[in-house]
Amino acid sequence: MALSREWLTSGVSCVHGIWYLESNLKCDHRPVKGISVVNSGLEDFSVWYSTYHGYVSLCVCVSGILFNVFNVTVLTRTHMHTPVNNILTGLAISDIITMLSYVPFAVHFYCVHPTDVSTPEKNSIYWMTFLLFHINLTTVTHTISIWLCVSLSIIRFLHIRSPTRARSIRIARIKQSKYIIASIYVLSVLIMVPNFLTNELKPLGTGANTTSTYNATFYVLKSLNLGTQETQFLVLVNVFVYAIVGKLIPCCLMGIFGTMLVYQMQMHVQKRRRIIMTFSEASGMKFREHSRTTVMLISVIILFVVAEFPQGVLIMISACKRRFFDTVYLPLGDIMDIVALLNNAINFVLYCTMSAKFRETFIMLFCSLPKCWQKCLGERSIMYM
């Protein structure tokens, strides 16, 4: 079936494997003069990886959910209550929500159904409504996570710069951290309101999909027409808000305060050496743990910047350059997803390797034998002595 004149003149970019967009299902994927064509290497890689993405993302999500449950359990212990740990707990909860939503998305759209075709069962009204919910939810949770990381870098910097041992001040800071977390959760939802308004479903008859042999209606996401003169004002507002407020600004702030943290850490290393020489090894050990915590938080910041900043740049280019969204951003979608999921799942490893207090608490909670077992084993060992 030939492309209609309407679609030929609109400059639609056809991408294999993009089964959820209105414009892509109206293509027959033949090179047409005047139409932006995806780089063959990028498209081949996108199609090849999409066959594995569902299974890879499921493994990452299942392990990530388990790891973040460990994080929440450990960080909410009474002796672990600090402003930084409160924010890390909020971060873990946000990551759990992201991955819980991604599991059914990956199972249905990548594992159960082929990734390169659309069927009435795959693109049903119920599953496409879930897809819409998933997109809106994960944009909010990603925004929450990245701004929690910004607050993490700021609070840690202020703590190092103005440490205090006064109990009243410590309690006040813990309360302030809870208010910050709640504010970030609420404001992230409000910031993403334009995203809720711009994403919508559209029914398509099978006549629009040349690969379909089903006599049924497909549901797809309405095209945003990014990078064209047909782009609606609200769509542009949504794209720029998400790219700037949800990606670029927080990444820049994390870079600034992360650099300041590194500088403060170097100053404390020099101070630690003087303390070890002047006072005792016990004081030096306390400073070493303090430095390891700072290094751990800097690692979390670096991972966020690496995962989120490139995506923010790509979103900005998509809004400004014609067909960049169709020919570059969409084929890279699965890669950006798995990078973000890995970032959500890996924090537990960082905490265990870099924080002795976290590691000891985790071992005490999950790796110690129950008291009844310890008593039983103790009695048996006495019998065989």
Side-chain angles (χ1 to χ4, degrees), residues 22-86:
E22 170 194 3
S23 58
N24 207 65
L25 290 185
K26 291 189 175 183
C27 297
D28 64 359
H29 300 288
R30 291 180 296 172
V32 181
K33 185 176 180 180
I35 293 183
S36 302
V37 179
V38 182
N39 176 275
S40 59
L42 178 60
E43 185 173 12
D44 291 342
F45 174 78
S46 176
V47 172
W48 170 80
Y49 174 71
S50 66
T51 59
Y52 301 99
H53 176 71
Y55 304 99
V56 174
S57 60
L58 273 181
C59 294
V60 174
C61 285
V62 171
S63 59
I65 291 169
L66 180 63
F67 287 161
N68 279 291
V69 169
F70 289 154
N71 291 341
V72 173
T73 306
V74 172
L75 295 172
T76 52
R77 299 301 95 187
T78 303
H79 68 282
M80 297 290 286
H81 283 177
T82 65
V84 166
N85 286 349
N86 284 345

Side-chain angles (χ1 to χ4, degrees), residues 143-163:
T143 305
I144 290 171
S145 295
I146 197 169
W147 277 104
L148 284 175
C149 197
V150 172
S151 64
L152 187 69
S153 62
I154 295 173
I155 288 175
R156 187 61 180 178
F157 170 75
L158 294 176
H159 173 74
I160 294 176
R161 187 177 180 182
S162 304

Side-chain angles (χ1 to χ4, degrees), residues 9-13 23 36 223-233 235-236 317-326:
T9 56
S10 64
V12 174
S13 302
S23 58
S36 302
S223 296
L224 299 179
N225 296 319
L226 283 178
T228 68
Q229 295 180 351
E230 292 81 18
T231 309
Q232 297 179 359
F233 175 74
V235 172
L236 283 177
I317 298 175
S318 298
C320 302
K321 186 176 180 180
R322 181 176 176 81
R323 299 307 174 194
F324 185 88
F325 179 76
D326 298 316

Side-chain angles (χ1 to χ4, degrees), residues 61 65 95-105 130:
C61 285
I65 291 169
D95 291 343
I96 289 173
I97 295 172
T98 299
M99 289 182 283
L100 282 175
S101 175
Y102 209 93
V103 168
F105 167 76
F130 169 77

Side-chain angles (χ1 to χ4, degrees), residues 7 11 18 24 30 55 69 149 257 264 277 295 312 351 375:
W7 283 91
I18 307 300
N24 207 65
R30 291 180 296 172
Y55 304 99
V69 169
C149 197
F257 284 97
Q264 290 288 339
M277 295 175 61
V295 171
Y351 302 162
K375 184 178 179 180

Side-chain angles (χ1 to χ4, degrees), residues 57-353:
S57 60
L58 273 181
C59 294
V60 174
C61 285
V62 171
S63 59
I65 291 169
L66 180 63
F67 287 161
N68 279 291
V69 169
F70 289 154
N71 291 341
V72 173
T73 306
V74 172
L75 295 172
T76 52
R77 299 301 95 187
T78 303
H79 68 282
M80 297 290 286
H81 283 177
T82 65
V84 166
N85 286 349
N86 284 345
I87 292 175
L88 291 177
T89 301
L91 179 62
I93 293 172
S94 176
D95 291 343
I96 289 173
I97 295 172
T98 299
M99 289 182 283
L100 282 175
S101 175
Y102 209 93
V103 168
F105 167 76
V107 169
H108 179 78
F109 292 111
Y110 285 88
C111 299
V112 175
H113 297 281
T115 58
D116 58 345
V117 296
S118 299
T119 64
E121 293 79 14
K122 180 179 180 179
N123 289 53
S124 69
I125 181 62
Y126 304 107
W127 276 106
M128 293 304 292
T129 301
F130 169 77
L131 174 63
L132 195 61
F133 166 79
H134 168 75
I135 292 172
N136 291 330
L137 177 65
T138 52
T139 53
V140 171
T141 54
H142 280 304
T143 305
I144 290 171
S145 295
I146 197 169
W147 277 104
L148 284 175
C149 197
V150 172
S151 64
L152 187 69
S153 62
I154 295 173
I155 288 175
R156 187 61 180 178
F157 170 75
L158 294 176
H159 173 74
I160 294 176
R161 187 177 180 182
S162 304
T164 180
R165 293 181 179 271
R167 178 177 173 82
S168 59
I169 296 178
R170 290 179 63 249
I171 293 175
R173 288 182 175 179
I174 290 173
K175 289 183 179 180
Q176 290 171 0
S177 67
K178 293 178 180 178
Y179 295 143
I180 291 172
I181 295 168
S183 299
I184 289 175
Y185 268 76
V186 173
L187 290 175
S188 296
V189 174
L190 297 178
I191 289 171
M192 289 297 107
V193 167
N195 189 70
F196 306 154
L197 299 176
T198 54
N199 289 319
E200 57 181 299
L201 296 180
K202 183 175 181 179
L204 279 183
T206 53
N209 188 345
T210 61
T211 63
S212 174
T213 58
Y214 299 96
N215 184 20
T217 300
F218 294 78
Y219 288 86
V220 292
L221 293 176
K222 186 177 179 180
S223 296
L224 299 179
N225 296 319
L226 283 178
T228 68
Q229 295 180 351
E230 292 81 18
T231 309
Q232 297 179 359
F233 175 74
L234 185 59
V235 172
L236 283 177
V237 170
N238 171 45
V239 170
F240 281 112
V241 167
Y242 186 53
I244 296 174
V245 180
K247 302 291 182 184
L248 299 180
I249 290 179
C251 284
C252 291
L253 290 175
M254 282 189 286
I256 293 170
F257 284 97
T259 302
M260 296 167 73
L261 273 175
V262 171
Y263 173 75
Q264 290 288 339
M265 188 179 67
Q266 291 176 343
M267 298 293 291
H268 273 258
V269 167
Q270 297 175 3
K271 184 178 180 181
R272 184 188 70 192
R273 290 172 180 169
R274 291 195 297 269
I275 288 177
I276 294 174
M277 295 175 61
T278 307
F279 297 99
S280 64
E281 180 64 22
S283 299
M285 289 177 64
K286 186 175 181 180
F287 268 91
R288 279 195 291 271
E289 176 65 19
H290 183 83
S291 296
R292 281 197 296 268
T293 301
T294 303
V295 171
M296 177 189 75
L297 299 181
I298 291 173
S299 301
V300 172
I301 291 170
I302 291 174
L303 288 174
F304 261 97
V305 172
V306 170
E308 302 293 344
F309 187 79
Q311 187 175 357
V313 173
L314 291 176
I315 293 173
M316 287 292 293
I317 298 175
S318 298
C320 302
K321 186 176 180 180
R322 181 176 176 81
R323 299 307 174 194
F324 185 88
F325 179 76
D326 298 316
T327 59
V328 178
Y329 187 87
L330 289 180
L332 291 175
D334 290 341
I335 297 298
M336 290 187 287
D337 280 357
I338 196 63
V339 170
L341 291 173
L342 286 170
N343 182 42
N344 294 339
I346 202 172
N347 287 340
F348 173 78
V349 178
L350 294 177
Y351 302 162
C352 281
T353 55

